[in-house]
Amino acid sequence: QAKRQGRNTYQWYTEGLNKRVSGRVMLRNALQHAIDQQQFELHYQPQVHDATGRIIGFEALIRWHHPERGYILPAEFIGLAEDTGQIIPISEWVLRTACHDNVRLNALGFGEYVMAVNVSPMQFHRANFVPGILETLEKTGLAAPLLELELTENILMESTTKAIDILQTLRRLGISIALDDFGTGFSSLSYLKYLPIDKIKIDRSFIREVISDHRDAAIVQGIISMASQLQLKVLAEGVETQAHYAYLSKKMCDLYQGFYFARPMPINDLITFLHENQAASQLQQNDEHGSA
Ligand code: C2E
Ligand code: MG
Ligand code: MG
Ligand code: MG
């Protein structure tokens, strides 16, 4: 009987495993189709400067526009794409599109914005990472200082000296580097001494309850003062309310990103948004100068 039970258990497990495996195979095939058919879109979320309230740039966030399922968020496919290597063609598309759209915004007369692009671990560790970026800047005509790369702590942990080399090269070219999801990795703080970076993005898990939870408040305050001492810019992710904004502003945070200011949006909506923003600040300026 025990044997029988054992076999049933075994069968049950293989069935579950098969289902999981075939789920992954199906997703991988669907992803390949999405790559071939160009079913991806970038949505852009504004980043706001504290003192002026001005938009200084955007983060490019990928969405899979599935013909039947609608928009699929990156959490559902980036991990698998990283495992299968499909992240490479996807990342190339992301970088090219984000740079291209930033050039387009500039050509439309909106001025200069910094475009932040998320970098995946596999992409970063490929031998041609830096040349690929240079080629994209050249092909799209985007100036290097208008590109920012967002990396997580985990990417930089793997081989620190090589990572530092790459970051130094990028920064010498004028590209800026942001440390994404700061505070969620398991790395020590000592690497902040050596890493050539420009900005720290405080993970939104610390922001959500920063007003009511004194532990989050302590961590956020700590990150802000450390960043300031290290002469790094600090950005708060996931700013959802006026209260978040007011609180963080009092704590001397430099930059903000979150639903309170704007949700990530397709390029055409962004253009409309920027037009309205421009009109609003024009009105405000006229008010300030007392135009009659
Ligand atoms: P991330 O880089 O930390 O991006 C910020 C995430 O926070 C985005 O989720 C954004 O939609 C969300 N967010 C922004 N403001 C708020 C807010 O006020 N409240 C809340 N609750 N969420 C907010 P999204 O777009 O689902 O992206 C998730 C992650 O997927 C990103 O986290 C990034 O790690 C990854 N990702 C996105 N696009 C790309 C890409 O093009 N390439 C790679 N390699 N990874 C990407
Ligand atoms: Mg990011
Ligand atoms: Mg982040
Ligand atoms: Mg995050």
Side-chain angles (χ1 to χ4, degrees):
Q1 218 226 306
K3 204 172 168 186
R4 200 185 141 82
Q5 206 174 26
R7 212 173 71 210
N8 283 346
T9 313
Y10 170 75
Q11 262 176 6
W12 186 82
Y13 275 121
T14 41
E15 254 170 48
L17 187 66
N18 280 340
K19 235 178 235 159
R20 272 206 305 280
V21 170
S22 70
R24 282 170 66 87
V25 170
M26 271 165 57
L27 180 57
R28 192 190 63 195
N29 292 342
L31 260 181
Q32 195 53 51
H33 188 70
I35 294 168
D36 298 340
Q37 300 295 312
Q38 306 196 347
Q39 289 176 350
F40 297 108
E41 272 180 32
L42 290 182
H43 288 191
Y44 298 105
Q45 186 176 35
Q47 299 183 336
V48 174
H49 186 251
D50 185 49
T52 55
R54 276 213 340 256
I55 295 169
I56 53 136
F58 314 100
E59 179 175 14
L61 296 158
I62 194 170
R63 272 88 183 96
W64 175 3
H65 199 177
H66 193 279
E68 281 122 43
R69 288 182 50 197
Y71 284 120
I72 302 176
L73 291 174
E76 285 199 52
F77 62 90
I78 287 290
L80 183 84
E82 183 78 28
D83 292 346
T84 61
Q86 288 167 310
I87 193 71
I88 296 300
I90 293 175
S91 301
E92 281 166 4
W93 177 85
V94 167
L95 189 67
R96 201 168 354 104
T97 307
C99 291
H100 172 85
D101 282 347
N102 202 17
V103 169
R104 186 168 158 218
L105 290 175
N106 189 249
L108 287 171
F110 288 117
E112 293 191 330
Y113 294 108
V114 175
M115 180 61 77
V117 176
N118 291 286
V119 173
S120 93
M122 182 185 271
Q123 184 188 5
F124 184 83
H125 289 110
R126 291 232 307 182
N128 68 347
F129 177 60
V130 174
I133 288 188
L134 283 181
E135 193 188 321
T136 307
L137 287 176
E138 206 167 294
K139 278 191 177 154
T140 58
L142 185 69
L146 301 184
L147 177 65
E148 180 164 275
L149 298 174
E150 294 196 0
L151 289 88
T152 56
E153 298 162 66
N154 313 344
I155 296 185
L156 303 171
M157 283 302 84
E158 248 178 62
S159 62
T160 319
T161 48
K162 200 181 138 221
I164 290 175
D165 264 8
I166 296 174
L167 296 186
Q168 261 161 359
T169 309
L170 292 168
R171 287 186 78 219
R172 236 179 284 127
L173 294 163
I175 296 166
S176 53
I177 308 293
L179 209 49
D180 205 354
D181 304 340
F182 187 76
T184 59
F186 287 98
S187 46
S188 82
L189 286 176
S190 64
Y191 70 93
L192 279 180
K193 265 174 33 182
Y194 311 109
L195 281 185
I197 59 171
D198 301 280
K199 184 191 285 183
I200 288 176
K201 297 186 76 177
I202 308 175
D203 192 71
R204 67 171 194 263
S205 58
F206 300 113
I207 304 298
R208 198 169 40 233
E209 278 156 22
V210 70
I211 298 166
S212 55
D213 189 327
H214 70 277
R215 294 164 303 183
D216 287 326
I219 291 167
V220 167
Q221 178 70 78
I223 297 175
I224 292 174
S225 44
M226 183 181 67
S228 141
Q229 296 294 312
L230 293 170
Q231 301 191 309
L232 301 170
K233 290 252 175 304
V234 62
L235 179 147
E237 292 188 318
V239 178
E240 292 188 351
T241 61
Q242 154 74 35
H244 278 156
Y245 178 40
Y247 180 91
L248 291 160
S249 180
K250 259 206 320 251
K251 300 291 180 192
M252 310 297 281
C253 190
D254 303 310
L255 304 161
Y256 308 89
Q257 184 180 341
F259 296 166
Y260 173 63
F261 300 99
R263 295 201 168 240
M265 52 198 141
I267 184 71
N268 288 332
D269 294 2
L270 179 65
I271 290 170
T272 308
F273 178 87
L274 290 175
H275 271 303
E276 284 165 1
N277 200 269
Q278 232 175 21
S281 66
Q282 196 64 50
L283 267 181
Q284 201 183 359
Q285 261 177 30
N286 289 346
D287 274 1
E288 275 162 17
H289 300 312
S291 76

